[in-house]
Amino acid sequence: MIGFVLRRFVNYVLLSAFATALGYVLASLTLNPAARFLGRNPPIPQASIDASLRQVGADPGVPVLTRLWDWSLHLLTTGSLGISARGTEVTADILAKAGTSLRLLVIGTVLGAVLGVAVGVWGAVRQYRLVDKVTGYGSFVVLATPTFVVAVLLMIGATQFNNAVGSQVITFTGEYSAGITGSTWDLLKDRLVHLLLPTITLTIFAVASYSRYQRSAMLDVLSADFIRTARAKGRGRASALIQHGVRVALIPMSTFFAYSFGLILTGASVTELVFSWNGMGQYLIDSISNNDINASAGTILFTSVLVLISGTLADVLYAALDPRVRI
Amino acid sequence: MPDPLLSVDDLHVSFRRGAVPAVRGVSYHVDQGEFLGIVGESGSGKSVSSLAVMGLLPASAQITGSIRLGGKELLGLSDRRMSALRGSDVAMVFQDPLSALTPVFTIGRQIAEALTLHDRRLSAHAARTRAEELLRLVGLPTPARQLDRFPHELSGGMRQRVMIAMAIANDPKLIIADEPTTALDVTIQAQILDLLQKAREVTGAAVVLITHDLGVVAGNADRVAVMYAGRIVEEAPVHDLFASPVMPYTVGLLRSMPTLGAHRGARLVPLVGRPPAPGSLDAGCPFAPRCPAAEDRCRTSEPPLALVPEVGHAAACVRASEIASGQLPRGEVFPVPEAAEHVERVSAEPPVLEVSDLRRTYPLIKGRFLRQRAGTVKAVDGVSFTVRAGTTLGLVGESGCGKTTTVQQVLELAGAESGTIRVTGLNTADLSKTQRLSLRKDVQVVFQDPMAALDPRMTVADIVAEPLTVHGISPDEIERRVLAALADVGLDPSHADRYPHEFSGGQRQRIGIARALVVHPKLLVLDEPVSALDVSVQAGVINLLSDLQEQRGLSYLFVAHDLAVMRHVADDLAVMYLGRVVEHGPADALFNDPRHPYTRALLSAVPVPDPTAEARRERILLQGDLPSPLDEITGCRFAARCPLKPLLSAAQQTRCASEDPGQRSVAGRQVACHHAEQTHQLGDAAVVA
């Protein structure tokens, strides 16, 4: 087992390195860091533009591959991803923003997965009945709606609720209220209230897609012989389906869970933007619009590491759920 | 007379709002401790009627009538009340024990579940102890260790034992076994049937055994009900049913079954046509379209199941009295088909296929993660046999013995890993590409599952023509030969533009045979060609194969697990065990006087559709399962399960354990056993007249 994990890990390091190098080259070829300095009034002298670019390792005079080499060497020796266009350390930026994203996303994903599985199973068991139709059409409506529309609708709803109640019960801009003071409990409560709407947004989308997959996985299992055996032993229909069916129907879902968790961490950009969260999604968008090569490449490295962790997680989860693939 | 344990009255089950009546008025009863056999082909309603007893039919099924267990009406009970009965009063054993066990739970947990569901106070520890006891009872070796294994880690026979352990866990009054041995090998089948009898003795339960195999019923049941098209058409004590069947369907079914007692080339009596599909029944007796004794009145109204006084049991046939009294002799109901004219052929031709010392190994890769080579599977480990021109070699053996691998190696027409394969005298290892292509014409194959082997989106004509297009033949010639091939296999050439799903199982297998024949091969490899077919249809396909052989001088390599079928078709027989041929010689010699203990055990395990013979014959029950082909075995590979070995002297036993027996010539055949001369010590059990 240890040998396997090691081999897998080496494999992953190579894959991450490859993905990041490609990302760096791509960012260098498409982004133009000098654009920020152009068109200013008064114009910035070429020499100081070059100096700034050299500082972030984006000197247009140096070939891209050489820059990649320097950047990688720097990363390996100091662990630093370089300086961002704003002059901050990219590594520190990413660590700070990843924490913010994680807080938002872990709850949303876990909640989405649990509810999604429940809704999917429910729909499968009641196939073609009202529940199945409602959840089915509901999922398609959600999946067809852009994230920001759902987020804005939630905001409108929250505002109307606040107006009706007459006080700011639900606050939804940023991670916490600016300048808040008080006991630890007050601070925690404030953060939780801020989490509410973005979490609901993420959960709605997760439930919509998980439930569709879970429904079809569950339908495969419904007519399985072992369900009939469980019933022949004396289990009622519902109990047989939950005790024996759901467990088996979760097996194909495990891969989907693991990978979507890795991707959602960077894929929640819109939600973060709408709710003004300084997370990874926003960071990626900002770094591209700022023509920031180091920050973009750093985000790509971050994402690839996440995807690979998810891959391992998927394998472990699969083996945990299905004894047939264990060693 | 005490009340019966189970009584089913006028049971009707239909699906799709009555459009598909699967069971149409079935009434039967089961007494305490009785063993009832229900026999029928696919679609006869035998499984549906028993699932109705269990209350396990889907909600879409419409059920009317009455099902009473111990006087209590079961129809209309809530799922909750039924659940309390299921597993405690009535238990069920299903056909495929792999899919019937939950793959993600250990068998210990699944047996304990059956116990705790009906006794909430049972502690986890007590349940586990009882589960272990049950596993010991059903004969699983080292039961304590088996408890923590998962279903996929057990063999088919062991899984079925686990299913039976679960069924008897709560001492049920009634056990329903739905085709419990159909997915198993003969020797394992014999073990499981034995175990069912034991389970019945231990628990005192009545058993309802549902099967398509009259042989299985003959040796086990007290009473038999024959089902056809959703109704019981004949019901009788087992001896009466086999001795004096009255319903022409039963008569035909018994005569269409291949038996070990027959001789090579004996004509089977096929039932023409196929069982009607539920929902497409015409007025009148549903068997009338296939019944040679049908009269006009048979086609107007359906006869009820009524007592036939002459024989003292019930049958549903208007001509029952005529048949029972002998006015219409049973032998004349179904005409025996004429055999094709036998043409003497020169037997000096060289063998069509010679396989010598063939070996094929596979690396066993274990683990989804580690991908390590955990050993070598010796799928085929030194196999030699010969198919003489114009004859049939039967290749028999249980699953996992290497039959399929052997056949694949032959069909590949490429050099083997080790050993040689000669087709029509040519060593397949030395062939050039063009030679190989032209040799492919000489070797054709017919597969087991006629549905899976035919492309559902191609017309029959295209399917049959495909081998010809490969060999570059003109379209006119192709059409001529396709139509001729269809006619040869007994299909209407005007159906050439239909699709496979429009044909019945037997007809589809004929399409498969036509496709093989169209290139005029010399050798036909038949891989379980009839095992997926209903009994009444099998006979027709077997007869067709015999006729084609006679007419064209074809050679067959006939792979099957059904020894009774082999008795009818094989000239020579090769018995495989764990990658080796253990006995190879003329079929008559092997069937009449098997010399390898394994051949003897295999023959004795075949159930015979004759209760008297079944009661008389001694069976050699093999212990345990086939060893894993991964094991390194010194000495004889059959020694661990050999019934002869314990009868031998210590010195002889040592030889079995230390020295691998090679093939040697004994009594006109090749046997791989050191003590083949002493096989008679096992008794004459295997030979059934």
Side-chain angles (χ1 to χ4, degrees):
Chain A
M1 188 73 194
I2 291 168
F4 158 72
V5 172
L6 269 178
R7 224 177 314 157
R8 194 95 187 199
F9 188 73
V10 170
N11 206 355
Y12 281 177
V13 168
L14 291 175
L15 274 172
S16 301
F18 186 63
T20 314
L22 272 182
Y24 187 89
V25 172
L26 194 68
S28 302
L29 293 178
T30 52
L31 302 181
N32 179 16
R36 280 188 309 133
F37 304 105
L38 301 179
R40 297 273 186 95
N41 203 11
I44 302 169
Q46 189 59 39
S48 67
I49 293 178
D50 285 351
S52 301
L53 290 182
R54 209 167 299 127
Q55 199 195 349
V56 296
D59 190 339
V62 181
V64 172
L65 287 181
T66 316
R67 282 190 262 155
L68 171 65
W69 174 253
D70 292 342
W71 184 77
S72 315
L73 210 62
H74 190 57
L75 175 62
L76 287 177
T77 48
T78 64
S80 162
L81 290 161
I83 310 288
S84 76
R86 283 201 219 91
T88 48
E89 260 290 327
V90 173
T91 315
D93 283 353
I94 286 181
L95 286 179
K97 312 225 171 225
T100 308
S101 284
L102 216 58
R103 218 178 318 141
L104 174 63
L105 293 159
V106 166
I107 307 177
T109 316
V110 171
L111 214 58
V114 171
L115 290 176
V117 166
V119 169
V121 169
W122 195 20
V125 172
R126 306 237 146 217
Q127 192 186 12
Y128 302 141
R129 306 270 191 85
L130 186 65
V131 181
D132 186 33
K133 284 182 179 152
V134 169
T135 54
Y137 286 122
S139 301
F140 289 131
V141 167
V142 169
L143 291 174
T145 313
T147 318
F148 70 87
V149 173
V150 172
V152 169
L153 284 177
L154 280 173
M155 286 177 174
I156 295 172
T159 313
Q160 286 191 340
F161 178 79
N162 287 342
N163 290 343
V165 178
S167 74
Q168 280 292 104
V169 182
I170 307 174
T171 44
F172 46 75
T173 308
E175 295 159 59
Y176 46 85
S177 307
I180 190 172
T181 49
S183 65
T184 322
W185 169 239
D186 287 337
L187 291 176
L188 183 70
K189 207 170 74 177
D190 180 61
R191 286 190 171 236
L192 284 177
V193 170
H194 276 89
L195 263 177
L196 189 65
L197 290 197
T199 304
I200 291 177
T201 313
L202 288 174
T203 309
I204 284 177
F205 281 95
V207 168
S209 66
Y210 285 142
S211 66
R212 298 318 291 167
Y213 284 98
Q214 181 68 45
R215 177 178 177 273
S216 68
M218 191 68 195
L219 281 178
D220 284 344
V221 170
L222 276 187
S223 51
D225 286 354
F226 58 83
I227 298 283
R228 196 175 55 180
T229 308
R231 300 253 287 138
K233 276 193 249 182
R235 277 208 183 277
R237 182 175 138 86
S239 141
L241 287 178
I242 291 166
Q243 297 284 332
H244 291 260
V246 174
R247 171 70 193 278
V248 175
L250 277 177
I251 295 172
M253 294 293 285
S254 61
T255 315
F256 182 51
F257 282 142
Y259 277 101
S260 57
F261 183 73
L263 290 175
I264 204 170
L265 208 44
T266 49
S269 326
V270 178
T271 313
E272 287 182 1
L273 278 179
V274 174
F275 291 101
S276 314
W277 278 58
N278 280 315
M280 278 308 294
Q282 204 197 29
Y283 188 71
L284 175 65
I285 291 175
D286 284 352
S287 60
I288 293 171
S289 54
N290 286 340
N291 283 310
D292 191 335
I293 296 171
N294 288 346
S296 306
T299 317
I300 288 166
L301 172 64
F302 178 73
T303 315
S304 68
V305 168
L306 278 178
V307 169
L308 297 173
I309 290 176
S310 312
T312 316
L313 198 67
D315 282 348
V316 171
L317 210 59
Y318 204 110
L321 285 171
D322 191 347
R324 287 167 292 188
V325 303
R326 285 178 209 161
I327 299 167
Chain B
M1 207 172 112
D3 276 348
L5 172 69
L6 172 77
S7 66
V8 175
D9 277 308
D10 198 28
L11 180 71
H12 287 261
V13 181
S14 61
F15 296 97
R16 277 190 253 148
R17 304 217 169 97
V20 182
V23 176
R24 307 177 301 122
V26 161
S27 305
Y28 65 91
H29 70 274
V30 185
D31 291 324
Q32 308 273 2
E34 194 186 20
F35 201 125
L36 174 73
I38 298 183
V39 179
E41 296 178 278
S42 48
S44 63
K46 57 190 197 303
S47 290
V48 174
S49 58
S50 58
L51 284 174
V53 174
M54 292 294 286
L56 287 180
L57 285 172
S60 61
Q62 291 176 319
I63 312 166
T64 60
S66 156
I67 299 170
R68 274 170 305 154
L69 183 73
K72 198 163 98 185
E73 179 61 49
L74 299 187
L75 275 190
L77 279 190
S78 67
D79 187 43
R80 209 189 143 93
R81 303 267 306 275
M82 263 321 281
S83 293
L85 291 177
R86 279 196 289 261
S88 71
D89 285 12
V90 250
M92 190 148 181
V93 178
F94 296 99
Q95 173 171 357
D96 181 356
L98 177 58
S99 61
L101 290 167
T102 310
V104 296
F105 296 138
T106 61
I107 58 165
R109 175 168 171 177
Q110 296 190 51
I111 298 174
E113 182 190 9
L115 291 162
T116 48
L117 270 175
H118 296 284
D119 183 2
R120 299 277 174 198
R121 285 165 304 168
L122 197 70
S123 71
H125 179 74
R128 196 181 157 87
T129 318
R130 175 91 175 105
E132 192 184 329
E133 252 172 60
L134 284 165
L135 285 186
R136 187 169 297 119
L137 191 72
V138 297
L140 237 62
T142 60
R145 270 182 30 213
Q146 309 290 352
L147 284 176
D148 295 317
R149 299 178 76 187
F150 290 95
H152 69 276
E153 297 175 284
L154 306 180
S155 69
M158 281 159 88
R159 284 194 285 259
Q160 198 56 293
R161 284 170 193 271
V162 172
M163 284 296 293
I164 293 176
M166 287 193 317
I168 61 174
N170 296 303
D171 287 326
K173 298 193 186 89
L174 176 67
I175 301 171
I176 299 176
D178 189 355
E179 301 269 12
T181 57
T182 308
L184 305 173
D185 284 313
V186 251
T187 61
I188 308 295
Q189 165 172 286
Q191 289 174 3
I192 295 296
L193 290 173
D194 233 43
L195 179 62
L196 262 182
Q197 289 288 2
K198 188 178 165 194
R200 170 198 186 194
E201 282 158 28
V202 172
T203 59
V207 177
V208 175
L209 176 70
I210 298 157
T211 179
H212 68 281
D213 188 342
L214 281 165
V216 166
V217 167
N220 292 280
D222 302 320
R223 205 151 49 82
V224 184
V226 180
M227 283 190 76
Y228 189 79
R231 300 190 63 176
I232 293 180
V233 293
E234 184 155 12
E235 196 207 315
V238 67
H239 285 276
D240 295 359
L241 186 89
F242 284 88
S244 46
V246 171
M247 169 74 189
Y249 174 63
T250 319
V251 176
L253 205 57
L254 279 168
R255 297 202 53 196
S256 69
M257 278 196 73
T259 56
L260 278 183
H263 58 92
R264 156 77 175 120
R267 295 298 274 183
L268 290 166
V269 186
L271 291 172
V272 289
R274 56 163 151 172
S280 60
L281 286 175
D282 298 328
C285 174
F287 186 61
R290 304 174 75 190
C291 183
E295 298 171 337
D296 283 345
R297 55 185 170 149
C298 296
R299 296 184 187 92
T300 50
S301 69
E302 191 168 355
L305 184 67
L307 187 75
V308 184
E310 289 87 345
V311 285
H313 68 250
C317 179
V318 289
R319 301 187 71 181
S321 310
E322 289 173 59
I323 297 173
S325 63
Q327 272 173 280
L328 177 62
R330 291 187 182 90
E332 286 171 25
V333 177
F334 290 91
V336 178
E338 299 255 329
E341 201 177 317
H342 183 75
V343 186
E344 276 306 323
R345 283 169 203 279
V346 207
S347 58
E349 282 179 60
V352 172
L353 174 67
E354 270 179 292
V355 173
S356 64
D357 205 30
L358 179 71
R359 276 166 220 274
R360 181 74 172 105
T361 57
Y362 297 95
L364 178 74
I365 307 291
K366 258 204 168 170
R368 180 177 150 83
F369 298 153
L370 269 166
R371 321 290 306 161
Q372 273 176 350
R373 184 171 175 138
T376 303
V377 181
K378 292 183 196 145
V380 175
D381 189 20
V383 159
S384 310
F385 58 78
T386 308
V387 181
R388 294 180 288 130
T391 67
T392 302
L393 173 74
L395 192 61
V396 289
E398 296 177 279
S399 46
C401 73
K403 297 187 298 250
T404 308
T405 311
T406 307
V407 166
Q408 280 170 353
Q409 294 295 304
V410 170
L411 289 174
E412 239 175 63
L413 295 185
E417 187 180 304
S418 154
T420 55
I421 302 170
R422 285 177 185 280
V423 179
T424 60
L426 299 166
N427 188 340
T428 54
D430 309 332
L431 294 175
S432 69
K433 221 170 169 179
T434 43
Q435 281 176 313
R436 190 159 289 137
L437 185 64
S438 76
L439 195 60
R440 287 225 185 276
K441 265 190 288 193
D442 291 342
V443 185
Q444 288 294 314
V445 61
V446 177
F447 295 101
Q448 172 172 14
D449 184 344
M451 196 66 228
L454 303 177
D455 188 331
R457 283 167 199 85
M458 284 167 80
T459 63
V460 168
D462 289 341
I463 289 171
V464 176
E466 203 174 12
L468 291 173
T469 58
V470 174
H471 295 282
I473 289 161
S474 74
D476 290 347
E477 171 73 1
I478 287 182
E479 193 185 334
R480 197 187 59 74
R481 277 168 73 170
V482 166
L483 295 182
L486 287 177
D488 285 348
V489 297
L491 290 171
D492 187 346
S494 68
H495 293 169
D497 54 353
R498 297 191 179 185
Y499 289 90
H501 69 89
E502 295 172 69
F503 295 86
S504 71
Q507 287 173 320
R508 275 184 225 136
Q509 198 58 296
R510 286 168 194 263
I511 298 170
I513 295 170
R515 173 177 63 182
L517 286 179
V518 79
V519 287
H520 302 313
K522 293 187 179 130
L523 173 68
L524 213 53
V525 175
L526 304 157
D527 190 358
E528 299 272 10
V530 294
S531 63
L533 305 178
D534 272 320
V535 186
S536 67
V537 179
Q538 256 189 22
V541 175
I542 292 175
N543 285 349
L544 170 69
L545 288 170
S546 314
D547 292 347
L548 290 170
Q549 183 164 44
E550 288 294 342
Q551 289 158 6
R552 307 181 166 208
L554 287 167
S555 311
Y556 292 154
L557 173 58
F558 197 114
V559 179
H561 68 281
D562 189 336
L563 287 155
V565 169
M566 278 302 182
R567 188 72 193 102
H568 284 264
V569 299
D571 296 296
D572 295 314
L573 199 64
V575 181
M576 282 190 75
Y577 185 79
L578 211 62
R580 286 266 176 90
V581 172
V582 293
E583 191 164 359
H584 177 26
D588 285 338
L590 264 72
F591 276 110
N592 295 329
D593 180 23
R595 285 306 177 91
H596 196 282
Y598 178 65
T599 315
R600 218 172 179 82
L602 208 56
L603 283 172
S604 87
V606 180
V608 182
D610 176 357
T612 329
E614 273 287 303
R616 249 202 346 254
R617 112 198 140 100
E618 270 176 71
R619 278 186 296 172
I620 306 169
L621 271 190
L622 286 185
Q623 298 301 309
D625 295 310
L626 214 63
S628 158
L630 275 171
D631 298 344
E632 281 296 331
I633 301 171
T634 49
C636 173
R637 47 194 60 210
F638 185 55
R641 297 173 77 196
C642 184
L644 179 65
K645 198 181 159 209
L647 308 176
L648 299 171
S649 71
Q652 286 174 318
Q653 290 197 23
T654 319
R655 191 168 175 218
C656 292
S658 57
E659 191 186 327
D660 193 358
Q663 296 261 353
R664 64 198 180 92
S665 191
V666 178
R669 89 287 306 268
Q670 296 292 315
V671 190
C673 174
H674 295 304
H675 310 295
E677 288 80 1
Q678 278 155 284
T679 314
H680 292 293
Q681 290 184 21
L682 290 170
D684 281 335
V687 192
V688 184

